[in-house]
């Protein structure tokens, strides 16, 4: 029996845009559920457990950012924010609240569909990695089970916090991880030390994995936001 198609929850209050998104995603074979307010979106979310959420920021009753925070408090589902071109602040806020990606309005349906596809694929890869499979990026291999990092075929020693950081970042390959999320994840939300600690750890990790501007950088700094591992 074929697997059920991925189910996508679209939380968007503008009827013509919501219809157009639904139409195009259904053409791609996805199962689409639309909600027009944040509150309804959360109801549907709990009911259908979607594989991905498309979330408008400007929603009546409850803002998309609040919806994002709520979803993230209970699920790792990929969230793509739909934002207005002029609202860079919303993008930053959304990413800090745990959204995975964003597209700015107006966007082409082709672009939207390709983002949906990429985020679903990433989530699937992530599931495999959560089962303790080896993480590989360029010359770096991290084995969570053996707690071992091999760079260019040589075992490299990592301190516990460095290892945790590296594993967290590698397991989110291609995704921006904000500084706040990293500090929260590795040091805990009650951490009040200054953010230099994170800089120092990142610097040590880069030295150990041989990550330099030249010949190439695997762990990229996203200015003002955080870090991400790239593999291309
Ligand atoms: Ca809207």
């Amino acid at each position: 029996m074929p697997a059920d198609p991925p189910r996508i929850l679209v939380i968007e209050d503008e009827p013509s845009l919501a219809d157009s998104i639904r139409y195009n995603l259904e053409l791609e074979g996805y199962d689409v559920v639309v909600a027009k307010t944040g509150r309804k979106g959360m109801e549907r979310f709990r009911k259908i457990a979607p594989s991905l959420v498309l979330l408008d920021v400007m929603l009546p009753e409850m803002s998309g950012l609040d919806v994002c925070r709520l979803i993230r408090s209970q699920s790792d589902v990929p969230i793509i924010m739909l934002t207005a071109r002029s609202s860079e602040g919303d993008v930053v806020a959304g990413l800090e609240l745990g959204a995975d990606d964003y597209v700015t309005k107006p966007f082409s349906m082709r672009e939207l569909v390709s983002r949906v596809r990429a985020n679903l694929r990433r989530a699937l890869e992530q599931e495999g990695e959560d089962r303790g499979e080896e993480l590989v990026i360029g010359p770096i291999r991290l084995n969570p089970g053996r707690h071992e990092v091999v760079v260019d075929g040589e075992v490299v020693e990592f301190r516990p916090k460095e290892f945790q950081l590296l594993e967290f970042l590698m397991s989110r390959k291609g995704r921006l991880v904000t500084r706040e999320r990293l500090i929260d994840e590795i040091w805990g939300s009650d951490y009040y030390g200054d953010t230099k600690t994170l800089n120092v750890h990142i610097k040590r990790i880069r030295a150990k994995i041989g990550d330099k501007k030249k010949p190439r950088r695997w762990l990229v700094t996203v200015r003002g936001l955080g870090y991400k591992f790239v593999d291309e």
Side-chain angles (χ1 to χ4, degrees):
M1 231 173 63
D4 286 343
R7 195 173 291 153
I8 296 173
L9 175 61
V10 179
I11 310 178
E12 167 64 67
D13 60 318
E14 199 183 303
S16 60
L17 181 58
D19 284 349
S20 173
I21 292 174
R22 177 206 290 279
Y23 175 77
N24 281 278
L25 289 176
E26 282 179 352
L27 275 185
E28 295 294 313
Y30 297 119
D31 199 349
V32 181
V33 173
V34 173
K36 302 238 154 93
T37 67
R39 194 177 49 76
K40 288 218 180 80
M42 283 312 298
E43 270 173 35
R44 298 282 186 285
F45 179 80
R46 293 190 187 102
K47 209 164 185 177
I48 68 171
S51 308
L52 184 141
V53 179
L54 287 174
L55 177 59
D56 183 26
V57 175
M58 301 287 282
L59 288 170
E61 293 174 26
M62 184 186 191
S63 93
L65 296 177
D66 289 334
V67 175
C68 181
R69 184 185 297 120
L70 257 179
I71 291 178
R72 204 36 98 231
S73 70
Q74 44 194 270
S75 162
D76 257 342
V77 67
I79 301 173
I80 304 178
M81 310 278 299
L82 310 176
T83 65
R85 187 176 291 283
S86 53
S87 56
E88 203 183 323
D90 283 346
V91 171
V92 174
L95 293 172
E96 280 176 357
L97 291 173
D100 297 276
D101 204 352
Y102 65 92
V103 282
T104 31
K105 297 179 182 179
F107 47 80
S108 71
M109 285 300 149
R110 212 165 138 194
E111 184 190 357
L112 185 73
V113 165
S114 89
R115 293 295 186 84
V116 164
R117 213 181 277 138
N119 278 275
L120 282 171
R121 194 180 51 229
R122 235 179 258 155
L124 267 181
E125 285 172 11
Q126 174 83 52
E127 265 176 34
E129 281 147 11
D130 286 346
R131 288 196 299 268
E133 287 167 18
E134 190 177 55
L135 303 172
V136 182
I137 296 176
I140 313 147
R141 310 181 80 88
L142 184 148
N143 188 310
R146 286 209 298 267
H147 221 264
E148 184 181 83
V149 183
V150 174
V151 181
D152 273 331
E154 305 266 338
V155 175
V156 179
E157 294 298 327
F158 277 79
R159 295 182 193 175
K161 290 266 190 263
E162 294 166 6
F163 187 91
Q164 280 174 43
L165 261 175
L166 184 65
E167 182 179 7
F168 193 74
L169 284 162
M170 283 181 78
S171 70
R172 281 154 186 79
K173 183 172 76 184
R175 291 162 72 177
L176 165 70
V177 185
T178 63
R179 300 177 57 83
E180 290 73 16
R181 177 95 199 267
L182 278 175
I183 290 172
D184 200 35
E185 195 70 33
I186 310 301
W187 284 275
S189 51
D190 52 353
Y191 178 79
Y192 289 112
D194 68 283
T195 57
K196 280 193 197 112
T197 310
L198 177 62
N199 298 351
V200 169
H201 278 75
I202 294 286
K203 209 170 157 187
R204 283 202 206 115
I205 288 173
R206 278 189 169 136
K208 289 183 180 182
I209 62 175
D211 190 46
K212 300 187 184 111
K213 276 207 179 100
K214 284 179 180 173
R216 72 148 303 159
R217 181 132 266 179
W218 304 98
L219 179 56
V220 174
T221 303
V222 182
R223 264 187 66 183
L225 285 178
Y227 300 96
K228 97 177 163 183
F229 258 106
V230 291
D231 198 9
E232 290 90 35

